[in-house]
């Protein structure tokens, strides 16, 4: 394919529609980690698709950067949450009921699923100033003294920010369940608590994009071996990754339950086939683009008299100190 200079839409529907799982029981084994839903014919065939997708991700990235800036700008110019809500005006059309929006990308995956790579590629296109990226490891002593959502609430992006969660509250129904870190009654109760929490987020103008990067057992094995072969990748390896791998089926079952029980209309689960990194990045880029598009963002109007400020600048009051040093 030559002359890739514009974004080509996914084929067969939006990526949100194509990758959404449920309603009903989710069967991960039926979703091929090497498949490429939505990839248009324009991508070509075979190896060429990789190059095509990479070029598209670059183009998509420029758009994501612009949209993210609009989100950030809207929050900067908006009245804070303490200010009484004023009557909605044309100027507030880019805000939900006058409240600045937030977007939160939740990334879940088995080890080597590509969470870090996705963040590097997709978030790399956006302005770091407006990003709020948080990773979740085993809870600290202080975190364990609170309920499981406590650390999650504290990590939410402020209005106007794009948040990215590298792992999330879902670990509390994944690793916590498989490794029996809590008793069954405790993790069983968490699905409903998560659904309540996510509804609360949606009501607070947080748009969730919940993505499971779906890799195969074989692909994980290859990526782990890479980490054990290339000395520049040792840092990515943790011996406990092999213990987790040994319980692959239990983790897949726990994932399937989380997707089934917490895939809601307000916060659907999206499964991105992730054995092919180029497809993964392309798919997640489109998911974010669609999310931004649905927010109908725009740059906020000036909250000052533009003509008057121009006049002041011309008449010298804004220029006298320039180049004085
Ligand atoms: P990584 O993402 O490779 O840096 O690994 C983070 C580790 O933290 C993984 O092994 C997760 O399973 C673990 N982790 C994350 N959240 C929790 C949690 N809520 N409870 C226990 N372990 C967790
Ligand atoms: Mg790891």
């Amino acid at each position: 394919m030559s002359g890739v200079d514009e974004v080509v839409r996914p084929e067969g529907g939006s990526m949100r529609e194509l990758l959404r799982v449920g309603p009903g029981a989710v069967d991960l084994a039926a979703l091929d980690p090497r498949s490429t839903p939505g990839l248009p014919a324009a991508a070509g065939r075979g190896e060429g698709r990789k190059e095509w997708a990479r070029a598209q991700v670059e183009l998509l990235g420029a758009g994501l950067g612009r949209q993210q800036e609009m989100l950030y700008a809207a929050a900067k110019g908006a009245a804070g949450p303490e200010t009484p809500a004023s009557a909605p005006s044309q100027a507030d059309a880019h805000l939900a009921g006058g409240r600045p929006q937030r977007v939160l990308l939740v990334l879940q995956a088995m080890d080597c699923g590509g969470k870090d790579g996705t963040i590097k590629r997709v978030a790399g296109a956006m302005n770091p100033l407006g990003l709020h990226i948080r990773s979740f490891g085993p809870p600290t002593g202080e975190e364990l003294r609170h309920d499981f959502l406590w650390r999650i609430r504290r990590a939410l992006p402020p209005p106007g920010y794009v948040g990215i969660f590298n792992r999330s509250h879902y670990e509390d129904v994944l690793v916590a369940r498989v490794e029996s870190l809590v008793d069954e009654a405790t993790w069983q109760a968490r699905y409903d608590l998560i659904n309540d929490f996510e509804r609360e987020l949606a009501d607070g103008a947080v748009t969730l994009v919940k993505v499971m990067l779906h890799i195969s057992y074989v692909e994980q094995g290859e990526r782990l071996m890479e980490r054990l072969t290339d000395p520049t990748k040792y840092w990515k390896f943790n011996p406990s990754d092999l213990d987790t791998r040994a319980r692959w089926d239990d983790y897949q079952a726990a994932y399937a339950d989380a997707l089934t029980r917490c895939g809601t209309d307000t916060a659907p689960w999206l499964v991105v086939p992730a054995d092919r990194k180029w497809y993964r990045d392309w798919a997640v880029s489109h998911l974010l683009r669609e999310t931004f598009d649905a927010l109908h963002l725009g740059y906020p109007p000036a909250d000052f008299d533009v003509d008057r400020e121009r006049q002041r600048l011309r008449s010298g009051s804004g220029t006298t100190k320039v180049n004085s040093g």
Side-chain angles (χ1 to χ4, degrees):
M1 284 291 128
S2 61
V4 180
D5 55 7
E6 61 181 39
V7 170
V8 179
R9 300 267 158 166
E11 227 157 70
S14 70
M15 294 305 278
R16 266 184 102 74
E17 290 159 358
L18 292 170
L19 299 177
R20 180 175 177 173
V21 290
V26 175
D27 180 9
L28 277 174
L31 299 171
D32 181 1
R34 291 188 70 76
S35 61
T36 57
L39 197 73
R45 302 187 149 273
E47 272 298 293
R49 295 180 299 174
K50 183 172 173 173
E51 211 175 303
W52 182 88
R54 291 267 184 249
Q56 285 285 299
V57 166
E58 198 140 312
L59 285 171
L60 282 158
L64 291 179
R66 261 192 309 279
Q67 300 252 60
Q68 179 217 12
E69 185 173 76
M70 289 175 189
L71 192 76
Y72 189 70
K76 209 175 174 215
E82 303 81 15
T83 315
S86 51
S89 66
Q90 194 58 35
D92 287 335
H94 54 291
L95 304 174
R99 267 178 316 174
Q101 297 281 347
R102 331 174 197 190
V103 170
L104 178 56
L105 174 65
V106 171
L107 291 174
Q108 282 290 158
M110 297 293 286
D111 287 313
C112 302
K115 301 187 302 300
D116 294 5
T118 303
I119 294 173
K120 199 152 112 180
R121 293 268 179 180
V122 179
M126 294 189 250
N127 186 342
L129 205 55
L131 286 174
H132 193 82
I133 303 173
R134 295 293 180 271
S135 297
F136 295 96
T140 62
E142 190 190 12
E143 286 167 352
L144 284 173
R145 283 195 292 278
H146 296 84
D147 77 281
F148 76 104
L149 292 172
W150 181 76
R151 65 175 184 164
I152 305 296
R153 291 180 190 279
R154 288 161 57 97
L156 291 171
Y161 282 72
V162 175
I164 302 180
F165 279 0
N166 182 1
R167 302 188 193 269
S168 66
H169 43 298
Y170 282 96
E171 290 294 329
D172 295 285
V173 289
L174 295 168
V175 65
R177 161 176 161 169
V178 175
E179 309 294 342
S180 302
L181 303 180
V182 294
D183 57 38
E184 175 162 1
T186 302
W187 62 255
Q188 283 284 6
R190 286 177 174 169
Y191 299 99
D192 285 344
L193 292 170
I194 288 174
N195 287 337
D196 291 346
F197 170 63
E198 292 184 352
R199 175 167 300 279
E200 197 188 300
L201 290 184
D203 292 344
V206 180
T207 303
L208 277 173
V209 185
K210 301 192 296 191
V211 169
M212 182 211 179
L213 303 174
H214 181 41
I215 59 160
S216 64
Y217 185 77
V218 171
E219 180 70 21
Q220 188 196 49
E222 283 169 14
R223 293 186 189 177
L224 284 169
M225 189 52 85
E226 230 174 276
R227 293 180 180 187
L228 288 171
T229 308
D230 179 350
T232 70
K233 292 188 174 167
Y234 290 166
W235 65 277
K236 295 187 186 184
F237 184 82
N238 187 327
S240 74
D241 293 350
L242 297 185
D243 303 315
T244 305
R245 176 172 169 79
R247 308 206 58 180
W248 180 271
D249 290 343
D250 294 336
Y251 273 98
Q252 293 292 301
Y255 263 104
D257 271 357
L259 299 173
T260 301
R261 295 171 72 173
C262 300
T264 58
D265 282 336
T266 33
W269 263 111
L270 305 151
V271 174
V272 172
D275 272 11
R276 294 180 156 111
K277 295 174 181 171
W278 55 265
Y279 173 79
R280 172 199 78 196
D281 296 337
W282 179 80
V284 175
S285 297
H286 270 291
L287 286 173
L288 282 176
R289 181 190 60 79
E290 290 169 8
T291 303
F292 283 137
D293 283 353
L295 294 177
H296 304 291
L297 299 165
Y299 285 103
D303 57 0
F304 48 84
D305 182 336
V306 177
D307 284 340
R308 182 165 177 276
E309 295 305 313
R310 268 194 208 124
Q311 196 49 49
R312 267 179 4 110
L313 178 63
R314 282 196 200 101
S315 68
S317 57
T319 55
T320 47
K321 294 216 168 76
V322 173
N323 281 343
S324 61

